[in-house]
Amino acid sequence: GHTATLCGDTVIFFGGLHTRHWTNSVHALDLNTWRWSSPTVRGTPPPPRSYHSASALSNDRVLIFGGNDDSAAFQDVYVLDVPTYTWVKPRMKGNKVPAKRTGHVASVCSLTTDTSSGPVDMVLVYGGWDYQNANKTVYYSDMWLLDTSSWQWHRCGLKNTLPAGDPSATGRAGSSVAVTASDTGVGKLYIFGGDLQATGTVSDHMGIMEICC
């Protein structure tokens, strides 16, 4: 349930659990020397968690979203500045945020917006689940885009309606994802495998969604 994120010549490992013990520790693997280290990290770290997402941003930063511990799922955002090993909790704008979730997937697109002078890191989040929901286990099929220049979430929609009975419409967790960009923004989302609410675990289902944000 930990994550590994490449930043330059260093792989940053964060979080995970072992024998029901959740952690928020940071470890680094230098790919030039193949040496491990456990750097001293400044700032307020995220609470211990597993099955979160960790996205590599420009300027050697790692963005952490969601995940869960032994009692609840999360919907918070933290950023680790790798050159200084400092945690930052961005001040989010707007009142629309993704629901608490774990086991989701995230991918980074660099896009140019109307208000930016150059490419901006956009983090696309899809799916996941919340098995610790007070009412019932919830699978998600929604998509969100986080603008890291304004720190505001935007709900994404599908340009094309999925065929009737397509299992992607019911939500999934634990899948893999790749995102392509178009001239006007995010293009297509390619999703493979995972645990589908409709059919259970699958290994060979590919979902392709054309999205707009």
Side-chain angles (χ1 to χ4, degrees):
H2 63 280
T3 50
T5 311
L6 179 64
C7 289
D9 294 329
T10 304
V11 182
I12 300 298
F13 294 82
F14 171 75
L17 75 156
H18 177 64
T19 60
R20 301 294 295 176
H21 173 69
W22 277 259
T23 180
N24 59 356
S25 61
V26 174
H27 302 279
L29 175 63
D30 188 319
L31 298 182
N32 293 314
T33 62
W34 293 105
R35 291 182 177 177
W36 287 96
S37 64
S38 299
T40 300
V41 185
R42 296 180 294 178
T44 302
R49 66 189 63 201
S50 61
Y51 299 104
H52 50 279
S53 59
S55 304
L57 304 181
S58 58
N59 300 320
D60 292 333
R61 296 171 297 159
V62 179
L63 185 145
I64 304 296
F65 169 71
N68 70 280
D69 60 14
D70 61 340
S71 61
F74 300 106
Q75 61 186 158
D76 49 7
V77 174
Y78 286 82
V79 176
L80 176 66
D81 181 73
V82 176
T84 63
Y85 283 112
T86 302
W87 283 111
V88 176
K89 194 175 191 302
R91 179 173 295 180
M92 310 300 291
K93 296 181 180 179
N95 54 12
K96 294 182 179 180
V97 298
K100 297 178 180 180
R101 66 191 63 204
T102 187
H104 55 281
V105 287
S107 186
V108 178
C109 292
S110 293
L111 304 176
T112 301
T113 67
D114 294 338
T115 59
S116 64
S117 58
V120 173
D121 291 330
M122 302 284 193
V123 181
L124 184 72
V125 171
Y126 166 77
W129 68 330
D130 184 358
Y131 65 90
Q132 294 159 319
N133 185 281
N135 297 317
K136 64 176 182 179
T137 298
V138 179
Y139 282 76
Y140 295 104
S141 60
D142 55 348
M143 287 174 282
W144 293 81
L145 193 69
L146 176 59
D147 184 333
T148 64
S149 64
S150 64
W151 295 109
Q152 187 167 0
W153 287 102
H154 302 276
R155 178 72 181 267
C156 296
L158 296 175
K159 288 185 178 179
N160 299 324
T161 303
L162 292 170
D166 189 305
S168 297
T170 65
R172 70 172 75 195
S175 60
S176 60
V177 66
V179 178
T180 61
S182 67
D183 293 338
T184 57
V186 178
K188 292 184 179 180
L189 183 71
Y190 296 83
I191 310 159
F192 181 75
D195 183 50
L196 299 180
Q197 183 176 16
T199 61
T201 302
V202 296
S203 60
D204 60 355
H205 180 82
M206 171 69 81
I208 303 176
M209 302 179 185
E210 189 173 1
I211 58 181
C212 57
C213 296

